Amino acid sequence: MALMPISIVLLLSNFLSSTASGQMLQLSIPWVPSLEIEISLVMDGLSMLFALLISGIGALIAIYAGGYLADHPQLNRFNLYLLSFMLAMLGVVLTDNLITLFIFWELTSITSYFLIGFDHEKEEARKAALQALLVTGLGGLAMLAGLLILGEIGGTLEISELVANGVLIRRSPLYVPALLLILAGAFTKSAQFPFHFWLPNAMAAPTPASAYLHAATMVKAGVYLLARMNPILGGTTWWFALLSLFGGTTMLVGALVGIRQTVFKRILAFSTVSGLGTLVMLIGLGTDQAVQAAMLFLVAHALYKGALFLVAGIVDHQTGKKDILQVGGLAGALPMTAMAAGLAALSMGGIPPLFGFIAKEALYESALHMGYFAIPAVVAVVTTGILYLGMGLLVGVGPFLGARPSELGRVREAHWSMWMPPLVLAGTSLLFGVRSGLIEHTLLSPAMKSIVGYRFPTHLGLWHGFSFALVLSLFSMAMGVYVYLRIEDIRRAFRPFDEIVHEFTGANYDRCMTNLMAFARWQTDLLQSGYLKNYLLIIFASTISLTTYTLVSRAGSFSLPFDLPPVLHEVILVAVILAATVSAVFQKSRLGAIATLGIVGYGVALIFATFGAPDLAMTQLLIETLTVILFVLVLYSLPGFTRLSSKGHRFRDAVISIMFGALMTTLVIAALDVQFSPSISAEMARKSYPEAHGRNVVNVILVDFRGIDTMGEITVLSLAALGVFALMKLRPEKEEEV
Amino acid sequence: MGTPIPLPIMPGDLTAIGPLLAVVIAAAGFLAVDMAFTREELKNRWTFIIGIIGAALAAVTALMLDIGTGESRLILGEALYADLYTVFFDLLFALLMGASLVLSWTAVERARMKPVEFYSLAAFSFAGMFLTSRAADLLSLFLAIELLSMPLYVLAGFATTSKTGREAALKYFVLGSVASAILLFGIALMYGGTGSIDYVELGAQVSSGGRDSPLVLAGLALILAGLAFKVGAVPFHMWTPDVYEGSPTAVTALMATGVKAAGLAAAIRFLAGPMAAALSYVSVMLWWIVALSMVVGNAGAMLQSNVKRLLAYSSIAHAGYILMGLLGDSLGTAAAVYYTAVYVLSVAGAFGVVQYFGDGDRELETVDDFNGAAKRHPWISLLFTIFLLSLAGIPPTGGFVAKFFVFGSAIQTGHIGLALLGVLTSVIGIYYYLRLVIAMWMKDEGRPVLAELSPTSWVVLGLLAASVLALGCMPGWLWLIVQSAVVSLV
Amino acid sequence: MNLLLAIVIGALYSAGFYLILRRSIVKLIIGLSFLSHASNLLVFAAGGLTRGRAPLVPPGSLAPVPPYADPLPQALVLTAIVISFGVTAFALALVNRTYQTTGQEDIDELRRTEC
């Protein structure tokens, strides 16, 4: 299983010398050529760093999962999800096209959904998986909109080409909307406050997945995106303000909430939230030192946090305990694990000679150089640094020292496939700490170049001489140990803080979901009452208002048509029709209603006859007679006219009906007012005799010029007849009694 | 009598209406089969054979049309069009007809309908669908819509025995007739305003100032309302949930795929063609239809536990997404066509799967009925998942690419707010489609029963799934076709 | 006369619409018939009214002598009349069948509540 990630690592290392020298390798495959969407791969320092982290840690996780889930019946399915996730993640960091970036981005959300929900018998796991997907999915889609706007103002969808248009983009009026939308994607994915709540809940995932997704890789996708976008969108006040504000807040909130947790994975989750905040803040600050610190912190964090998660998994696996308060004195039983845990914890706390120390020094250094903002920045990072050491000691040292609770029983060291990966990660922390030169020029400085656009000198090392940063370091180490020793008091003191954070975030999610459901119910109740009558009302009301709106907003005026003065018999005809219509409405007997309907029908036929349409009149007379007969026949088997509606409803319906009728009258008046030359009709009338040898133009139109329509008409009629027949005669074999 | 009489029907015209003739002949064939055989078994066999031949013939004759340089051709006394656009929809409808024959058979029999009766009526409805995409004037449009609706009124009505079914049939019929009346009304006003019902003539009039006439605008608004009803867009959507749920599933499948696609084919042709110049005048109206459809459809679907009702609500939302394309330029129109194709394929697949779940008389109704489906029937659950993911718009399926095209064109033409609303509502879509996926893959307690699938059903479902994936992974080729098809509209 | 015709059309629409909003299943179909009458008249009127002269080509000439009534709306109305007859017949059958199977004359009772 681990073979594939390992071979990817080897493959990547082939390109290491090129990226180290600052080259950018590209490969393009057309995908939707007409829209210039290409599957273009790009490999530069930044991509290389992320890709190596993803595949390298992926290999270790795959080994670990083999041990951790050895007894699980669906280990293969887990491996499949894990591999697909890894490929999607590699896609995110290797693509140069905004659209393919988004696709891979969403694929990581989907695959992580399956990984979080892997233990799907648990309701909690399903809920957490869905929450993570909805939050990151929403952010991702907002990001898509942002990326499309970015492509629109930048003139291309290729990231490498957008960099050249950076100035143009930052000056565009659409810059701020695009920035906000893209940040929505990055902040949800990288669990920035106030969207961070999904990450601690996502700890329902099996531990290997948590370690991989929620510490080392997926949550860093947002950070990657920001780093990638820095040369395009960065350097503005908006960028600086939003990133450092959100990042800084997240950094502090994560650390403050994390310190008072007692469940292994929750401590680690909140400290990850804090770490992600740190990274976002550093990218937002955007100075050379800050970017350097970001890259150092990125690597250090991936190494120690991955290791600690895996350690937490081992403790859970071997003892069945998930809470740090329930374990202690495990060093003897789990020696290898304890070693990995100790190293990782020290790296997290920033203790020399581990790599975490170098990262922390760089962090302090960059905070110190922030000019006006130096004081708040230093306070924030030092507080965080103190709490990191405290948390590191809580999960990495505490469980292995002290007295062993008697209820733990016999504990055996885990299989080598489980303790080896965290030990390798922790060991690498140590190695990079002592020998930072190993990655400085090959990985870190090419990555920094990708972010800022130029290369700047770096000096990594454990010893930087006596500086203010060193003083701060020493101070935070001392305070960190103090925090660890007084943890009981701290937990108590920070308790109210927890409530506030939850109120701001997770509770908002719940509230959103509840409100959404309430809204959905409200609108379906309103529109989907089930009453045919209401549907008709809504349809007519909408039609009327849409038409009226269109007319009022656009149309000119028209005059009343008096050009065709009525003659006496026409007036009588109209009066009869009107009288019949009104009486139909008030009829109490079925037969009476049918009679009035017949009168109206014959009246309409007479109108046709009066105005030059004898054919229509004949047809109408015939059809009307047939209709009346049909009505009389059928209505005898139907119930009589019953007045079912209440008075109020009748009044309401009457008002609406009259309004509707008035609108129709207005429209007809408008129609009659328009003078146009009936070109088509004239054409048909002219051609009627010479071409079709017909003297009746209406017939010619129906039979010759519009033969296909007449065929359609006949078909519709015969279908109706078929329907009538089917309804009367055919019965399904079993008639259900109602 | 010296001069020869020009025939209104040219020989070439017959190829151009080939698909139409193919289904009409198939319908006649069904009726003949019904009379010729007395044994059910023989009736069924021949119904199937004739149906498949009809669908295949429709597809082949559609492909035989000489498109020439891509210009639209008017045929049959200028009543119909023949161009790439009609070919595109012909193929889609032919595919749907084949899929309906293969996939709905079980559901037809389960609803105690005789396949020969069901399919002969359905064939007439398909004839109406083939007409919608080629209507070149408003009379043909009206007839096409009537022709496709009438058989469905009958189908929804005569097969049902339950009260729900009765209710559905009555509602569908009454509301459908009202919508037809509104459509006819709009046509009358349009004629009153321009003196023409011909698309070409209408287009010329509208772009030369005719759009300022109050009658043309009122007519356009009313025609839009009538078509919105067929398409199931808000505020003309209320029939969909009740009717989709109450009708026999085979009929519902036809409504969700064919009727919707035909309504869209007609709407797109009419709005992007002759009415293109007037579209900006009704864009506010269209904007609200789109926005409300997305919100109402998705929010409604969230609450549903009945699968057919859920799909009904979601189809309202999809109508909104598709119509959003019409607010954009020609790219948007192409996006709408692309989305229509993807939607139809995905829904045909989804309904295809739904129709197979169930036991004897009973079919699966609620989302919870699908609990544990993947454990017992992993392959069909996988296919169902692909269709659902496509409907939810998740890559790498066609649904995602379609949404991307539509949102992209909306953003390009400045409808950023609408695109964002689309994005927001899509997330709700993910939520409710995944409920089905969760039920199938993550819950174990249920024991859903699956009717036996014939090898042809597997092939058709597999093909549908493969095309949904292909449209997601390699959208380029279809996008090119769609773009050229849209060019012929203007 | 145009004005009078417009009022007739409006009245027919009002009556038809009022009737289809009733709960009685019988009134519903009568309302539909009123609506179809109204639509037919409307289409007819939309072409403009010409008193008396039908669009016929008199013997001996090649085209009808103007002014004659517009033939195209007439063709449209003819189609509409025939179709609406089919629709009405079907409506009667459907309503009849619905009443037979459900025994319900109140349309409001034909309703399922949401969810």
Side-chain angles (χ1 to χ4, degrees), chain C residues 89-105:
Chain C
F90 181 72
L92 278 169
L94 185 67
V95 164
N96 189 29
R97 181 71 182 276
T98 307
Y99 181 67
Q100 305 289 329
T101 41
T102 62
Q104 197 52 257
E105 62 165 320

Side-chain angles (χ1 to χ4, degrees), chain A residues 689-713:
Chain A
Y689 185 69
E691 290 189 8
H693 297 265
R695 294 198 181 274
N696 185 330
V697 184
V698 178
N699 285 352
V700 168
I701 291 177
L702 283 174
V703 178
D704 286 71
F705 296 144
R706 323 257 347 161
I708 184 88
D709 294 333
T710 309
M711 264 166 63
E713 175 195 332

Side-chain angles (χ1 to χ4, degrees), chain A residues 307-369:
Chain A
L308 286 176
F309 262 113
L310 296 182
V311 167
I314 295 175
V315 173
D316 181 11
H317 196 260
Q318 304 304 114
T319 68
K321 306 289 181 202
K322 300 178 192 304
D323 197 304
I324 53 167
L325 299 179
Q326 295 171 334
V327 292
L330 289 170
L334 304 168
M336 305 306 275
T337 311
M339 188 161 27
L343 282 173
L346 294 180
S347 183
M348 178 169 172
I351 307 287
L354 287 134
F355 194 58
F357 172 72
I358 301 181
K360 192 183 66 176
E361 288 277 275
L363 177 65
Y364 287 6
E365 197 71 47
S366 56
L368 281 169
H369 286 84

Side-chain angles (χ1 to χ4, degrees), chain A residues 566-610:
Chain A
V567 289
L568 184 63
H569 74 270
E570 289 171 358
V571 176
I572 295 172
L573 183 57
V574 166
V576 169
I577 296 178
L578 285 177
T581 310
V582 174
S583 89
V585 172
F586 295 106
Q587 273 299 332
K588 292 210 176 68
S589 84
R590 292 171 288 174
L591 227 50
I594 296 167
T596 52
L597 184 65
I599 294 173
V600 171
Y602 292 136
V604 171
L606 286 178
I607 290 181
F608 288 152
T610 318

Side-chain angles (χ1 to χ4, degrees), chain B residues 20 123 186 189 199 237 242 255 263 305 341-342 404 427 429 451 460 489:
Chain B
L20 199 58
L189 292 185
Y199 279 11
H237 66 286
D242 297 353
M255 291 176 188
S305 53
V342 171
F404 162 68
V427 179
V460 172
L489 291 182

